[in-house]
Every structure is written in C-alpha cells, then in structure tokens.
C-alpha cells in the first residue's frame, strides 16, 4: 500500500516540505510532468526546483511503453552521477505509470520489458511521489505500472511499484476536458464493477469497491454536487477503486482494452468505455447504468474501430487479451478458457 498520502485543496504546495527530508547530497529530484502543463506557469511555478533538480515534460498522447522508460532512465543516468533523490510524477495515469516504472528501472538492471509480469522486480525502487491531475485511473494507488512492450501490453506488478507518497489535490483536476473527465471516471467505475463481480473478491477489496461504486453513481448519475465537491469525490473514488483492484483484479473490459491499446493505440480510458459498452453478457446491470451515464453527459463512444482490421491484427489483439490470465480467472473463474474462446472474443471485437 501507499504508506503516505495528503489530501486537500491546495495541498500541492506542501510538496517542497514533503520532499526535503528525502533529499540526498548532489542527488536531484526529477519531476516528470505532463506536457499539457508546459505553458501553465500557475502550476510549474509551484514546483520549487532546487540545486540540480530537473523538470522533464512528457507527452501523454500515447500509452507508456517499455522503450520510452528505458530512454528516460538512460537520459537520467547519463546526466547525473548519483541516483536521483526521488522521481515525482505530475499528471494523469500515463505519467503516474511512467514515474513508477522509471523509479523501478533506476535500481534494476536491463530493460523495463524484462519486468512485465508479476513480482519480477528484485530491488527497491528510488523514492517516488505521485501527484494526479486527473481522477479515475487508480494509478496513484496501484501496485502496477502498465506498459506496452515489444511483445505485449502488461504491467510491472510488484510490491516495489506503489508510490512512497501521494498528493491528492482536487484543485489540480480543474479544467480537464469533459470527454477525458468522463472516460477516466469510467475507468474507475469499471474497476469497481470488475472487482465486485470477480471471483477474487474479498472483504477488503469489496469495502473499497463498494464505496468507489457509490461515489461514481453520485457523480455521474445523481449530479447534485458543486464542481468542487464532485472533483474531490472523484479523486477519492479513484483512490478507493484503485485500492479495490490492489486486493482483487480487473476483468473482461480491461483484458480486451489492452488488446485495443496494443494493436490500435487506443487510450486506456476510452478503450475501456468502447469495450464495456458491449459487455451486457458479463455485467448486465452495470452496462445499463453505464449507458445511462453516457446519455446523461452526452458523450460519444467511438464505433467501427475494428471494422477494417486484418486477420493478423485481429489475431494479435486476441492473443494480447488472452495472455492476461489473472484477469480472466477473476472475471470468469477457473473454467474461463471454455467460456472466452477465440471465436467469442473475435465476435465481441467485431462489435467495436
């Protein structure tokens, strides 16, 4: 679990005093910041660089990849003689995952692709802090960092992955574009649905999942809050949804959206929405609720993504999805292979 968290409007300004005890001599803090903030002086001026600290703007246009992690680590190690005092990620789920992966690869040899899987990381990561600027992914609290590698899309799942410190400041999520707000919020809702309906469910994950599920309904269906209250609630829904997954697992939507992402480059939040829209067979009541949320907020779910795929691309998509064994075990039980055949998966993808 994340050992330390601060929450509250404006708490981002506590970052310098939080970092101070972690600073080592001649070892910089490296801030990995979503490049959407590159010309946002209001935010960047609040990042107080000292000594040889470095601020790096990173595009979140594409899903994070193992080659990208390797390149960032190479640049850091070639520029600085000492390992950084810490890595601070400021942005959405993509930046959160990049910050977690970079902190791991600064203390572990080889390529990030070598650690895609469960519990393969040997050495403790560099101190790392997560500052989410959009809510829903749960990346700020999860024990994984999801990366597209040379052969698959899979997380580095380990006890060394979670952040050492998270700063939850609802102010930072102001101004998120409506579609992005919705898609990322639905990532949280789908986390809850998959956790609460899974075979891995236990009292710990259930308690977090139920709370996040209820918060999502308040935000996306009831809609009685002020914008400020809704931002704070969605930030906590994201946290609780991520905690629910940490002690269980995701399911059908995530497995299939990984396939979309790997082959077509579809972003995670929107990919989950595209898939979940067609999963009545697995989550009937929740798909009805999801469609109500889509209608309430006048959101367009893209169609026709898989209409012109080659056989090779379709088979690759199916291979990626089926490789995520724990997700299928959670969703469908030990007999999942008999239920989710290649033909069944193909028919679902063709609906998209």
């Amino acid at each position: 679990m994340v050992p330390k968290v601060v929450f509250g409007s404006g708490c981002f300004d506590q970052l310098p005093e939080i970092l101070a005890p972690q600073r080592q001599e001649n070892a910089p803090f490296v801030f990995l910041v979503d490049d959407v903030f590159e010309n946002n002086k209001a935010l960047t001026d609040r990042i107080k660089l000292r000594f040889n600290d470095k601020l790096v703007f990173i595009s979140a246009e594409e899903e994070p990849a193992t080659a990208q992690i390797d390149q960032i680590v190479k640049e850091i190690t070639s520029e600085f003689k000492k390992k950084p005092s810490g890595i601070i990620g400021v942005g959405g789920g993509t930046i959160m995952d990049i910050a977690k992966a970079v902190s791991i690869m600064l203390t572990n040899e080889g390529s990030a692709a070598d650690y895609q899987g469960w519990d393969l990381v040997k050495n403790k990561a560099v101190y790392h802090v997560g500052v989410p600027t959009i809510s829903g992914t749960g990346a700020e609290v999860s024990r994984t960092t999801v990366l597209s590698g040379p052969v698959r899309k899979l997380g580095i799942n380990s006890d060394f992955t979670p952040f050492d410190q998270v700063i939850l400041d609802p102010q930072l999520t102001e101004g998120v574009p409506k579609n992005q707000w919705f898609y990322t919020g639905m990532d949280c809702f789908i986390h809850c649905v998959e956790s609460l309906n899974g075979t891995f469910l236990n009292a710990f994950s259930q308690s977090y999942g139920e709370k996040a599920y209820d918060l999502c309904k308040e935000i996306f269906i009831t809609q009685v809050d002020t914008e400020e209250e809704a931002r704070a609630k969605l930030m906590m829904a994201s946290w609780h949804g991520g905690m629910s997954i940490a002690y269980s697992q995701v399911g059908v939507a995530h497995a299939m959206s990984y396939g979309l992402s790997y082959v077509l480059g579809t972003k995670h939040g929107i990919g989950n929405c595209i898939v979940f829209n067609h999963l009545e067979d697995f989550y009937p009541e929740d798909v009805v609720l999801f469609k109500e949320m889509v209608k309430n907020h006048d959101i367009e779910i893209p169609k026709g993504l898989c209409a012109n795929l080659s056989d090779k691309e379709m088979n690759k998509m199916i291979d990626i999805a089926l490789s995520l064994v724990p997700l299928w075990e959670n969703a469908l039980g030990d007999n999942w292979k008999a239920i989710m055949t290649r033909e069944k998966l193909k028919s679902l993808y063709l609906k998209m």
Side-chain angles (χ1 to χ4, degrees):
M1 292 170 68
V2 173
K4 291 187 176 182
V5 57
V6 293
F7 172 85
S9 189
C11 70
F12 181 53
D13 291 330
Q14 291 174 236
L15 185 59
E17 63 189 272
I18 287 169
L19 295 180
Q22 306 295 334
R23 186 179 291 279
Q24 297 161 32
E25 194 176 352
N26 299 324
F29 282 109
V30 179
F31 296 82
L32 306 178
V33 180
D34 191 321
D35 68 0
V36 75
F37 297 112
E38 192 157 1
N39 297 311
N40 184 336
K41 295 276 287 177
L43 183 130
T44 54
D45 284 353
R46 294 166 73 186
I47 297 172
K48 309 293 186 189
L49 298 181
R50 301 187 63 203
F51 307 113
N52 57 345
D53 290 349
K54 187 176 178 68
L55 193 156
V56 183
F57 289 108
I58 293 178
S59 170
E61 277 303 304
E62 294 181 4
E63 297 282 283
T66 53
Q68 181 186 17
I69 302 305
D70 295 344
Q71 181 60 33
I72 294 170
V73 170
K74 184 180 175 185
E75 288 169 7
I76 291 172
T77 52
S78 61
E79 183 172 350
F80 301 104
K81 289 178 182 174
K82 292 185 72 173
K83 280 192 176 63
S85 293
I87 302 292
I88 297 93
V90 183
T94 293
I95 304 300
M96 296 290 101
D97 280 355
I98 289 171
K100 289 191 282 189
V102 167
S103 68
I104 286 169
M105 294 313 303
L106 283 166
T107 57
N108 288 273
E109 292 182 354
S111 164
D114 301 335
Y115 299 94
Q116 286 180 286
W118 280 266
D119 300 308
L120 301 174
V121 181
K122 300 288 187 291
N123 302 317
K124 188 178 188 299
V126 163
Y127 175 80
H128 49 305
V129 178
V131 187
T133 60
I134 189 169
S135 299
T137 68
E140 65 276 13
V141 70
S142 74
R143 75 185 293 275
T144 189
T145 163
V146 182
L147 306 171
S148 290
V151 293
R152 58 190 171 176
K153 181 178 177 182
L154 186 62
I156 300 177
N157 296 267
S158 82
D159 286 343
F160 300 120
T161 307
F163 287 110
D164 298 294
Q165 169 85 53
V166 170
I167 293 172
L168 298 177
D169 184 345
Q171 266 186 13
L172 298 181
T173 64
E174 281 184 51
V176 172
K178 183 183 176 184
N179 274 14
Q180 197 177 358
W181 163 81
F182 184 86
Y183 296 141
T184 313
M186 287 303 99
D187 188 19
C188 177
F189 176 70
I190 293 165
H191 281 157
C192 302
V193 171
E194 293 181 322
S195 176
L196 292 170
N197 288 279
T199 61
F200 291 6
L201 188 67
N202 55 62
F204 191 102
S205 57
Q206 184 174 358
S207 62
Y208 279 102
E210 286 175 348
K211 185 60 186 172
Y213 185 87
D214 290 344
L215 285 168
C216 285
K217 285 200 292 186
E218 286 178 35
I219 296 157
F220 293 102
I221 292 180
T222 316
Q223 302 176 68
V224 294
D225 298 310
T226 65
E227 277 191 33
E228 190 178 354
E229 289 167 338
R231 280 197 301 272
K233 280 188 178 179
L234 189 54
M235 193 159 252
M236 291 320 301
S238 179
W239 182 270
H240 283 72
M243 283 300 295
S244 182
I245 294 308
Y247 278 80
S248 61
Q249 190 50 272
V250 282
V252 180
H254 275 74
M256 292 187 68
S257 77
Y258 277 28
L260 283 179
S261 174
Y262 192 87
V263 175
L264 296 175
T266 310
K267 296 279 285 183
H268 183 69
I270 193 171
N272 275 345
C273 290
I274 291 164
V275 175
F276 198 71
N277 209 26
H278 298 283
L279 296 185
E280 295 94 337
D281 290 355
F282 305 98
Y283 310 111
E285 293 173 15
D286 296 306
V287 172
V288 170
L289 207 57
F290 168 75
K291 289 183 175 180
E292 186 184 337
M293 294 176 186
V294 170
K295 188 178 176 183
N296 277 355
H297 295 279
D298 195 25
I299 300 293
E300 185 109 359
I301 304 295
K303 297 180 175 70
L305 264 79
C306 300
N308 301 309
L309 286 180
S310 66
D311 287 345
K312 183 180 178 183
E313 287 172 319
M314 177 60 80
N315 283 321
K316 184 64 180 175
M317 204 176 269
I318 292 168
D319 289 341
I320 294 289
L322 290 177
S323 71
L324 298 158
V325 175
L327 281 65
W328 294 112
E329 287 177 342
N330 177 53
L332 305 173
D334 292 339
N335 195 36
W336 68 270
K337 287 182 182 176
I339 302 167
M340 189 51 73
T341 60
R342 293 186 73 86
E343 292 71 29
K344 175 71 173 172
L345 255 183
K346 184 175 181 179
S347 71
L348 283 168
Y349 274 132
L350 287 174
K351 289 181 180 179
M352 301 165 200

